[in-house]
Amino acid sequence: MASAAHLSLVLRALLVAAAIAAALSDPTPLQDICVADLQATTLLDGFACKPQTAVVDDDFFSRAIASAASTNNPFRVNSTRATVATFPGLNTLGVSITRIDLAPGGLNPPHSHPRASELVMVLKGKVMVGFTTGANRLFSKVVRENELFVVPRGLQHFQLNNGTGDAVFIAMFDAQSPGLVTPTFAMFSTKPAMPMEVLTKTFLMGEDEVTAMKSKFIGF
């Protein structure tokens, strides 16, 4: 028969596991609706709720991803986001969505979302989607129209249009604000600038090579 000390230890472990699980996703809403008050001056981990009397139908509607966006940039990609910052009705609901347009050969560069897993659904064309694990293993697949690919939370991933025409996919997230970290920008276009010594030692390059690399990311 289990001792009281053993049962206490098991209970503590279960409580810790439950706490970790809760911390890995957006919290459960405490009320039916909590439309984001984007003008609120009170700073929260998220957004304060608009007064119920100020909530309107359009707070729960968005055309943010209805239209194609320009891919006239070096990566030939454009991401149009419907997160809580642009779609206030998403506040506290733990979901958001992004439309990505890719010209032929376009790349959504390796990046990660620290607060969300990502479910990709291709609407047009074909897209190579891949992610890497902490063990530096690559998982990738060419995804075609109406097919799905899932990217686990926080892992580096990319999307490449390897078809002959334009491609469009949507990325669905289990967070109202998934966050975005792009390593190339985080290394070469930070403000203030990343110390040169860090860059030369990280990439095993000389200062001239690093400077040439940084010049490619001016304006991002």
Side-chain angles (χ1 to χ4, degrees), residues 24-72:
L24 291 178
S25 60
D26 284 5
T28 301
L30 299 178
Q31 50 196 333
D32 289 341
I33 60 174
C34 176
V35 173
D37 184 353
L38 302 180
Q39 308 304 318
T41 56
T42 302
L43 299 179
L44 301 171
D45 187 11
F47 292 93
C49 305
K50 287 174 65 172
Q52 296 283 331
T53 55
V55 175
V56 296
D57 296 345
D58 280 349
D59 286 326
F60 303 99
F61 173 81
S62 173
R63 291 186 54 81
I65 66 171
S67 302
S70 173
T71 56
N72 184 24

Side-chain angles (χ1 to χ4, degrees), residues 198-215:
V198 173
L199 296 175
T200 57
K201 290 183 175 179
T202 298
F203 294 100
L204 305 179
M205 292 180 176
E207 290 190 10
D208 290 345
E209 293 173 295
V210 170
T211 298
M213 182 72 74
K214 289 180 68 174
S215 70

Side-chain angles (χ1 to χ4, degrees), residues 11-192:
L11 179 58
R12 290 180 189 177
L14 290 173
L15 289 173
V16 169
I20 292 173
L24 291 178
S25 60
D26 284 5
T28 301
L30 299 178
Q31 50 196 333
D32 289 341
I33 60 174
C34 176
V35 173
D37 184 353
L38 302 180
Q39 308 304 318
T41 56
T42 302
L43 299 179
L44 301 171
D45 187 11
F47 292 93
C49 305
K50 287 174 65 172
Q52 296 283 331
T53 55
V55 175
V56 296
D57 296 345
D58 280 349
D59 286 326
F60 303 99
F61 173 81
S62 173
R63 291 186 54 81
I65 66 171
S67 302
S70 173
T71 56
N72 184 24
N73 58 68
F75 294 106
R76 310 190 74 187
V77 62
N78 196 294
S79 297
T80 307
R81 299 178 180 87
T83 63
V84 66
T86 59
F87 189 0
L90 295 179
N91 197 37
T92 75
L93 300 184
V95 294
S96 58
I97 191 169
T98 295
R99 170 185 174 143
I100 296 89
D101 292 271
L102 290 162
L107 171 70
N108 197 18
H111 61 281
S112 65
H113 304 289
R115 295 184 292 275
S117 299
E118 176 177 338
L119 182 62
V120 171
M121 180 175 182
V122 174
L123 302 181
K124 178 182 178 181
K126 61 179 182 178
V127 179
M128 176 182 287
V129 185
F131 68 85
T132 57
T133 68
N136 295 325
R137 182 173 178 184
L138 171 66
F139 293 88
S140 66
K141 187 80 174 178
V142 174
V143 185
R144 293 172 171 79
E145 293 181 18
N146 300 319
E147 294 180 340
L148 302 171
F149 191 92
V150 66
V151 177
R153 179 190 302 265
L155 297 186
Q156 292 289 324
H157 59 284
F158 65 88
Q159 290 97 7
L160 171 68
N161 180 357
N162 59 356
T164 57
D166 293 339
V168 181
F169 68 91
I170 56 173
M172 296 160 277
F173 303 97
D174 60 341
Q176 66 181 34
S177 182
L180 175 65
V181 179
T182 305
T184 46
F185 301 158
M187 297 297 289
F188 296 115
S189 60
T190 59
K191 296 179 182 179

